[in-house]
Amino acid sequence: MESNLKPFVSVLMSVYNAEKYLKDAIQSVLTQTYENFEFIIVDDGSEDNSLSIINQIKDERIRLIVNEKNKGLIYSLNKGLEAAVGKYVIRMDADDICDRERFGTQISYMENHPEIGISGTAYQSFGEGFVSQTRVLESDPLQNQANLMFFPVLAHPSVIMRKSVLDENNLRYREEFKNAEDYGLWVEASNFTKISNVKKKLLNYRILDKSITRQANKDFNSRFNIHKKIYQLYFERIGLHLSEQELLLHFIISDNNRFRDNDRFSSKQIDSYFKKLNQFVGKLPHSKYYQQALSKRKLSLAIIKKRKTQVFLNAISYFYFTILSRLL
């Protein structure tokens, strides 16, 4: 790479006490087959050897930003976004590993799909005590718009974002969505752009017991209050108002583990809520995508509760709307 080239891409990584896996994560970025990028690393007041590890790596593409005190992930990512000069911003976490073709593949995809503002990739999860799994995420933007009703649809450290979409629409990570800041950003961004995924596995995503999300999931009430705001944003966009109780129910049914561990609502209440959602989304443009998302969620919950009749009926509904959504 010639040093006088303006970086086409800004790679953004926030680091906080990540010494154990940091060097491997950085090297997986620096050894990409695509080379025209700046690598913005924000050290968020690390108290271990993270900063020393970064300083030992000599590569002119690295732009190091140091927070004197720990400011948190959201502050650090937004600081990096402000500093980024690339047409695209690629996220990377300090404990994950990129496939060597990741950047080139994602850039090519975005260049060939100008309607897409944010996209992610399939990924392989791994970690001590966890069974390695490969997850291929939905690529259809219309289906992703519907699926955002329940979950983030993108693996955060796999994403590439069009910088112009972020800047022109004043999109940044928001403190009020802390511990679900990516989900909040995707919901806000979906008002202005389309979201997709490359089906090729391009990231090795490390699962840690001490990850932010895992720690946050232990506090049900604070987690609900954060997600409630995101759900309200989502449903306001499509014109549906939900009560506090309905938002709580939605929070519980949106995650299999939460649903499995929680009995605050009866089967009758849950069925009634799904009926309300189904009646509403049936009137929306592209309703088949929303109905597919609803039938898939209902199927998952029926399997957990071992409701055999509902499993059968919801499976038929899910496959019907899946096929329908794939037709022109």
Side-chain angles (χ1 to χ4, degrees), residues 4-19:
N4 62 349
L5 283 176
K6 178 183 178 181
F8 192 62
V9 177
S10 299
V11 183
L12 175 56
M13 174 192 286
S14 176
V15 175
Y16 178 65
N17 292 348
E19 63 180 1

Side-chain angles (χ1 to χ4, degrees), residues 71-76 78 172-181 226 229:
K71 295 283 192 176
L73 180 64
I74 293 171
Y75 176 91
S76 297
N78 285 337
R172 292 293 187 267
Y173 297 98
R174 289 169 57 174
E175 285 288 348
E176 64 186 293
F177 301 147
K178 185 177 180 181
N179 299 320
E181 60 277 344
I226 292 165
K229 297 172 186 176

Side-chain angles (χ1 to χ4, degrees), residues 7 10 95 102 119 203 210 216 219 226 231 246 252-253 266:
S10 299
D95 49 18
R102 177 189 169 186
S119 68
L203 181 75
K210 295 181 180 180
D219 189 339
I226 292 165
Y231 297 145
E246 288 172 326
I252 291 170
I253 66 173
S266 67

Side-chain angles (χ1 to χ4, degrees), residues 230-294:
I230 298 173
Y231 297 145
Q232 286 172 324
L233 277 179
Y234 181 88
F235 285 112
E236 283 173 6
R237 180 193 174 187
I238 63 176
L240 178 62
H241 174 75
L242 298 179
S243 68
E244 184 80 5
Q245 279 294 97
E246 288 172 326
L247 288 166
L248 177 60
L249 192 158
H250 192 88
F251 176 65
I252 291 170
I253 66 173
S254 293
D255 180 87
N256 287 348
N257 290 325
R258 282 198 296 267
F259 178 72
R260 187 180 291 109
D261 298 337
N262 202 292
D263 59 359
R264 300 189 190 198
F265 295 94
S266 67
S267 295
K268 184 177 180 180
Q269 288 175 304
I270 294 170
D271 291 341
S272 177
Y273 177 67
F274 271 115
K275 183 177 180 180
K276 174 179 178 175
L277 288 182
N278 197 61
Q279 289 176 339
F280 181 83
V281 302
K283 303 173 185 178
L284 295 175
H286 311 298
S287 62
K288 57 189 177 183
Y289 297 97
Y290 293 92
Q291 289 168 317
Q292 192 259 22
L294 287 175

Side-chain angles (χ1 to χ4, degrees), residues 72-100:
L73 180 64
I74 293 171
Y75 176 91
S76 297
L77 291 181
N78 285 337
K79 194 170 184 178
L81 286 177
E82 293 301 324
V85 300
K87 179 178 180 179
Y88 299 107
V89 176
I90 289 178
R91 276 283 288 114
M92 178 63 183
D93 277 350
D95 49 18
D96 296 334
I97 305 293
C98 292
D99 285 12
R100 292 193 73 237

